[in-house]
Amino acid sequence: MMISDGIEDEEKWLAEGIAGIQHNAFYLHRALDSNNLREVLKYSAQLLSELRTSKLSPHKYYELYMRVFDELRRLEMFFKDEDRHGCPVVDLYELVQHAGNILPRLYLLCTVGSVYIKSKEAPAKDVLKDLVEMCHAVQHPIRGLFLRSYLTQISRDKLPDIASDYEGEGDTFMDAVEFVLQNFAEMNKLWVRMQHQGPMREKEKLDKERNELRDLVGKNLHVLSQIEGVDLEIYRDIILPRVLEQVVNCKDELAQYYLMDCIIQVFPDEYHLQTLETLLGACPQLQSAVDIKTVLSGLMERLSNYAASSPEVLPEFLQVEAFTKLSNAIGKVIEAQVDMPVVGAISLYVSLLTFTLHVHPDRLDYVDQVLGACVRKLSGKAKLEDSRVTKQVVALLSAPLEKYDDVVTALTLSNYPRVMDHLDAATNKIMAMVIIQSIMRNSTSVSTSDKVEVLFELIKGLIKDMDGTSTDDLDEEDFKEEQNSVARLMHMVYNDDPEEMLTIINTVWKHIMAGGPKRLPFTVPPLVFSALKLVRKLLGQDGDVAGEEAPANPKKIFQLLNQIIEALSIVPSPELALRLYLQCAEAANDCDLEPVAYEFFTQAFVLYEEEVADSRAQVTAIHLIIGTLQRMNVFGVENRDTLTHKATGCGAYHASLIPMGLNRRSTLRLMRVGEGKLIRVLLCLKRSLRIANAAQQMVNVTRGSSGPVTLFVEILNKYLYFFEKGSPQITTAAIQGLVELIKTEMQSDSTTSNPSSDAFFASTLRYIQFQKQKGGAMGEKYDPIKL
Amino acid sequence: MVLVLALGDLHIPHRASDLPPKFKSMLVPGKIQHIVCTGNLCIKEVHDYLKTVCPDLHIARGEYDEETRYPETKTLTIGQFKLGVCHGHQVIPWGDLDSLAMLQRQLDVDILVTGHTHQFTAYKHEAGVVINPGSATGSYSSITYDVNPSFVLMDIDGLRVVVYVYELIDGEVKVDKIDFKKTTTSNA
């Protein structure tokens, strides 16, 4: 009974078998045509003898079987037509048992049995019982399996089911169930026995061959599921226990895996829900090599889909305590299978979590429980390095984020951060980004300081250097993307209540302050602006701006702001800090806090004088300082003068150091400061002219510069500005004089023409012309000026 | 007809996380021929995003922009119009019309686009038009309280430009428009 070796040999044997069948079929057909029962029986028995071979693998045996099957169909038709052979079926049933060899005898018997049942001359149940027991005589696995498979096939439509033709007195669907169960049990035994057929070294080949036959066994379960009379009770009390008994007792991993899966796929989800305990109870009893987690995952997936498609059954899930049972079962399996790798356990939990999110999304305690189980599984181990496990853990953590639109819900799960702690640094950051993206995508707002605390703990991998890593290792682009995400996130953190908002701001600051010089330039600005928005909100409230006793008042916030901006000095980021100080100064101005505003200005000036090095940056800084100063109305005369003087000084400080082009405009801007301080205005203008003249000298040295002309036109425009504002120092004569000066300069040989300054002058003249033509007071003012 | 998008002062990510979704869905690639941007994007991601809306992108430098190489001012000609862009923090007092008019004369442009105040404005005077598209994200400004997100779309057709301003007020996009016609005698 050895399974055959060499493929070539097998082909030869198969060919021989087929030839044998064809040979006998020829004579069989002749016998059928002449209605010669004796000959028919003789040749059909010979034909069937080809199936007695033990030399073929299942795959090849199947080919032989199919040919035989076709012939048996003809045979059955012949048997059915008593007119053709004149033998009553009851006698036929007797007759065929005289066939010489057992296998052909049984095939013939089953074929006649089919006709017998159809004739209704005997109760179906009796015939079926007889057949299923007689088949016992064939114990060779492959031959036996195919024989019984034949029995299954021909009996399918003849089972005594409810409302079938074969239901009768004492002939019920229970008998059908009994028949199928028996056939199934025997087939399973044969199937399991196959594994002992070959030498151990051929185990892989054996398993493959066995797998080819598995559907023959599984078919019985299909048939059971189709029996109409079977309801939940029958399934629960009779079918499932019997099938599971077979599954557990056969102690064969291949069979166990396949059959568990088959049960789950074939019977309705409704049944599984109600028999969960029994089904799950079998799991720990299975062989340890069985991939039970795949089976369980399959079950959970089916149940999830069931819940999703029929929401009305959800209460049932609760009633049968599905979650608890599944959870316990998984726990037991993991415990029992000590060799199960971590990735297996985690993937089980992922399936359970998916199930929970589908079926009990409101039960956050369940979700947290699953995460807790993972934490226990992962604890005691070093940080995860296996990428498969990491992938599973990320899937685990992402599932709640995807399910709950309000990501904040996921944040309240106490075990969530604990699971994250087990990820390696790189994956931890990836997960943090997933969390941030989820919040941004759903426009969730995180509105209490507790939740903010949890959130920033979760993303701590992005906020600061974790053990063993440093920002130097990072790709710059990636790092920027990370930090910009954190910055954007800070705008999602908000509460209407000022006190709570201030607590939130303090919480965020506590976390980001440890970020180090590389991170602060990204994280400080959004926090500063959050705080400034809070200040403005407090201003907008009815009644007095909160007094100093109130927990959230502008003064406190400005103190905090000072601290936050100060931290930029470790980067160092003087330009950014300067801008932020000026923003604070403006806000303090709006709050009427003169000393606070003054202090911020002082800080800004210190940075300007000591830290801002690049000349272009200095010009921008001066613009910002002057622009802000111009808007200040909180300062008393003394403070205002001091600051204006400093600003002018800053401009003058550069007179000798900065290239001309940049300097002149700074000085001109100074005029905006101190409306009404006309003498100062004049001083600035005069200084500008002096500088312009100095520039003129430089022209003679460096050819090709038309700097002075442009500068003069600018000054002319400034003159017009103050002239219109009514400054008595600017006379029409002064204006006229400057116009003439410009014209002269433009026509002079030493000046190279500059189209932009030409255009500027032209448009200025147009403007003057326009003002003259305006009429009224403006026209009168401009009248003395001749163009 | 030529469509020119004017926007700026997004302040992403310092003061805002993103453009309002309603604006984003309106800014469909391929519909706009030019973008003029007053600056303060502030990061490269925003630059790249604007480029996808329209590749012809002109930006003037705002004081918080990450990219320090944007110019302080930019001029370009579209059809019959000369446009100038400048962030505006350089023109003091901030938002002062007469001072802006001075800048306009200096750049010699018909349409001057500036920002910084986060307040939409459109002024017409004898030499042309001064437009401030406001802040596209409605971000915090020390100058303007209660900023609504806004941007401007200019439809340039011959000697006429129609300025559409889109403002997001209480969750709804409101549109207004202003007409300007250029006289041909401006460049004597």
Side-chain angles (χ1 to χ4, degrees), chain B residues 13 15 26 41 44 46 51-52 67 72 77 86 105 109 128 142 168 178 188:
Chain B
R15 306 187 201 183
M26 291 169 71
L41 298 179
K44 185 170 179 299
V46 182
K51 265 273 180 171
T52 66
E67 174 63 82
E72 299 282 319
T77 305
C86 174
R105 287 196 289 276
V109 292
S142 57
L168 188 64
I178 308 162

Side-chain angles (χ1 to χ4, degrees), chain A residues 255-392:
Chain A
Q256 286 179 339
Y257 177 72
Y258 170 70
L259 289 172
M260 286 299 288
D261 194 53
C262 201
I263 295 170
I264 292 167
Q265 301 299 335
V266 156
F267 291 101
D269 299 316
E270 193 195 338
Y271 286 9
H272 297 317
L273 202 55
Q274 296 296 335
T275 58
L276 210 46
E277 206 149 359
T278 316
L279 191 58
L280 295 175
C283 292
Q285 300 177 53
L286 302 177
Q287 302 301 102
S288 58
V290 174
D291 182 12
I292 194 63
K293 61 181 188 313
T294 309
V295 174
L296 284 174
S297 299
L299 174 62
M300 286 189 276
E301 200 181 315
R302 273 195 80 95
L303 292 174
S304 301
N305 292 338
Y306 183 41
S309 64
S310 329
E312 67 274 9
V313 304
L314 285 175
E316 231 182 282
F317 277 81
L318 277 170
Q319 189 221 359
V320 305
E321 292 175 12
F323 173 80
T324 315
K325 290 187 177 144
L326 284 166
S327 183
N328 290 340
I330 291 174
K332 287 211 184 87
V333 165
I334 292 179
E335 225 182 307
Q337 299 194 358
V338 266
D339 294 331
M340 188 195 284
V342 178
V343 65
I346 304 296
S347 67
L348 261 173
Y349 285 123
V350 173
S351 296
L352 181 59
L353 185 65
T354 313
F355 169 83
T356 314
L357 289 172
H358 271 107
V359 177
H360 304 295
D362 51 324
R363 294 296 299 262
L364 294 176
D365 55 329
Y366 283 171
V367 178
D368 208 22
Q369 238 183 290
V370 179
L371 293 176
C374 278
V375 172
R376 283 194 292 281
K377 186 68 196 166
L378 293 171
S379 65
K381 300 192 174 25
K383 288 242 194 289
L384 297 173
E385 291 196 349
D386 185 345
S387 68
R388 290 170 310 156
V389 186
T390 314
K391 233 171 137 191
Q392 287 294 330

Side-chain angles (χ1 to χ4, degrees), chain B residues 31-51:
Chain B
K31 297 276 175 66
I32 294 164
Q33 281 77 55
H34 309 274
I35 301 185
V36 293
C37 181
T38 56
N40 278 343
L41 298 179
C42 308
I43 51 180
K44 185 170 179 299
E45 277 173 48
V46 182
H47 178 116
D48 292 341
Y49 163 72
L50 289 176
K51 265 273 180 171

Side-chain angles (χ1 to χ4, degrees), chain B residues 64-129:
Chain B
Y64 285 91
D65 274 312
E66 178 184 56
E67 174 63 82
T68 52
R69 292 170 301 179
Y70 295 143
E72 299 282 319
T73 62
K74 190 125 194 242
T75 54
L76 60 153
T77 305
I78 297 175
Q80 299 287 335
F81 285 87
K82 286 197 284 191
L83 281 87
V85 196
C86 174
H87 177 250
H89 65 268
Q90 308 92 329
V91 180
I92 298 164
W94 293 331
D96 178 54
L97 177 61
D98 291 326
S99 306
L100 289 172
M102 209 184 306
L103 176 63
Q104 188 163 17
R105 287 196 289 276
Q106 184 167 9
L107 297 176
D108 191 32
V109 292
D110 305 303
I111 304 174
L112 176 66
V113 183
T114 61
H116 189 57
T117 63
H118 297 208
Q119 170 79 43
F120 162 74
T121 51
Y123 289 122
K124 182 177 171 15
H125 56 96
E126 84 296 346
V129 169

Side-chain angles (χ1 to χ4, degrees), chain A residues 100-321:
Chain A
N101 300 106
I102 188 93
L103 194 69
R105 186 189 315 159
L106 289 171
Y107 271 102
L108 287 172
L109 199 59
C110 289
T111 312
V112 175
S114 170
V115 175
Y116 201 176
I117 296 172
K118 258 207 160 107
S119 73
K120 302 209 186 135
E121 287 188 31
K125 90 164 188 243
D126 290 347
V127 180
L128 292 172
K129 191 161 197 309
D130 202 33
L131 290 173
V132 80
E133 278 171 6
M134 295 252 239
C135 285
H136 206 76
V138 179
Q139 283 299 313
H140 180 271
I142 293 179
R143 296 200 290 261
L145 274 170
F146 275 96
L147 173 62
R148 285 190 180 272
S149 177
Y150 181 66
L151 178 56
T152 311
Q153 268 177 294
I154 51 126
S155 62
R156 267 219 77 159
D157 56 342
K158 300 173 188 74
L159 298 174
D161 197 356
I162 290 179
S164 86
D165 288 340
Y166 306 101
E167 196 183 20
E169 272 295 324
D171 221 345
T172 68
F173 70 90
M174 279 311 298
D175 299 304
V177 169
E178 198 47 54
F179 163 72
V180 178
L181 278 174
Q182 221 183 323
N183 202 23
F184 163 73
E186 293 306 314
M187 284 180 81
N188 192 38
K189 287 184 189 140
L190 289 168
W191 190 39
V192 167
R193 194 159 344 117
M194 269 179 78
Q195 66 175 300
H196 302 303
Q197 287 228 280
M200 271 319 285
R201 57 183 163 79
E202 292 198 343
K203 184 164 192 324
E204 215 178 285
K205 188 162 168 239
L206 259 168
D207 281 351
K208 181 169 171 295
E209 289 180 353
R210 284 192 59 202
N211 263 322
E212 285 168 1
L213 293 174
R214 65 190 190 182
D215 287 338
L216 295 182
V217 181
K219 188 79 198 266
N220 291 292
L221 297 179
H222 273 272
V223 172
L224 280 171
S225 73
Q226 307 282 15
I227 298 178
E228 296 234 7
V230 170
D231 62 3
L232 173 61
E233 275 171 28
I234 307 288
Y235 174 79
R236 182 189 62 208
D237 298 335
I238 298 182
I239 295 180
L240 186 62
R242 289 272 290 273
V243 172
L244 283 179
E245 198 188 330
Q246 265 303 305
V247 172
V248 170
N249 290 344
C250 76
K251 296 201 188 331
D252 174 59
E253 50 193 76
L254 203 95
Q256 286 179 339
Y257 177 72
Y258 170 70
L259 289 172
M260 286 299 288
D261 194 53
C262 201
I263 295 170
I264 292 167
Q265 301 299 335
V266 156
F267 291 101
D269 299 316
E270 193 195 338
Y271 286 9
H272 297 317
L273 202 55
Q274 296 296 335
T275 58
L276 210 46
E277 206 149 359
T278 316
L279 191 58
L280 295 175
C283 292
Q285 300 177 53
L286 302 177
Q287 302 301 102
S288 58
V290 174
D291 182 12
I292 194 63
K293 61 181 188 313
T294 309
V295 174
L296 284 174
S297 299
L299 174 62
M300 286 189 276
E301 200 181 315
R302 273 195 80 95
L303 292 174
S304 301
N305 292 338
Y306 183 41
S309 64
S310 329
E312 67 274 9
V313 304
L314 285 175
E316 231 182 282
F317 277 81
L318 277 170
Q319 189 221 359
V320 305
E321 292 175 12

Side-chain angles (χ1 to χ4, degrees), chain A residues 430-448:
Chain A
I430 292 173
M431 201 58 226
M433 288 293 278
V434 170
I435 292 172
I436 294 180
Q437 277 152 15
S438 182
I439 293 177
M440 303 302 307
R441 194 173 42 235
N442 294 326
S443 304
T444 322
S445 102
V446 184
S447 58
T448 69

Side-chain angles (χ1 to χ4, degrees), chain A residues 499-514:
Chain A
E499 230 181 283
E500 186 65 23
M501 188 61 204
L502 186 55
T503 316
I504 288 176
I505 292 175
N506 272 304
T507 309
V508 176
W509 175 231
K510 186 185 72 171
H511 283 272
I512 66 173
M513 67 164 65

Side-chain angles (χ1 to χ4, degrees), chain A residues 440 480 484 487-488 491 525-526 529 532-533 536 539 579 583 586 590 616 620 623-624 627-628 630-631 665 669 672 714 717 721 725 759-760 763-764 766-767 770, chain B residues 12-18 43 45 61 63-64 66 68 70 72 89-94 96 98-99 102 105-106 108 126 140-146 186 188:
Chain A
M440 303 302 307
K480 266 191 186 168
N484 280 326
R488 285 189 213 232
H491 298 292
F529 286 106
L532 289 173
K533 278 193 240 189
R536 183 164 292 167
L539 273 180
R579 283 152 178 67
Q583 289 282 341
E586 257 191 281
D590 295 344
R616 228 176 129 220
T620 308
H623 281 157
L624 296 174
T628 311
Q630 190 268 333
R631 292 172 53 78
R665 283 186 189 82
R669 296 294 181 274
R672 297 293 174 259
E714 273 191 56
N717 273 274
Y721 182 91
K725 295 269 187 282
F760 192 10
S763 58
T764 312
R766 275 201 301 279
Y767 176 70
F770 186 79
Chain B
I12 295 170
H14 296 158
R15 306 187 201 183
S17 57
D18 205 355
I43 51 180
E45 277 173 48
R61 191 180 73 91
E63 79 274 33
Y64 285 91
E66 178 184 56
T68 52
Y70 295 143
E72 299 282 319
H89 65 268
Q90 308 92 329
V91 180
I92 298 164
W94 293 331
D96 178 54
D98 291 326
S99 306
M102 209 184 306
R105 287 196 289 276
Q106 184 167 9
D108 191 32
E126 84 296 346
Y140 173 90
S141 161
S142 57
I143 301 165
T144 309
Y145 284 35
D146 296 326
S186 49

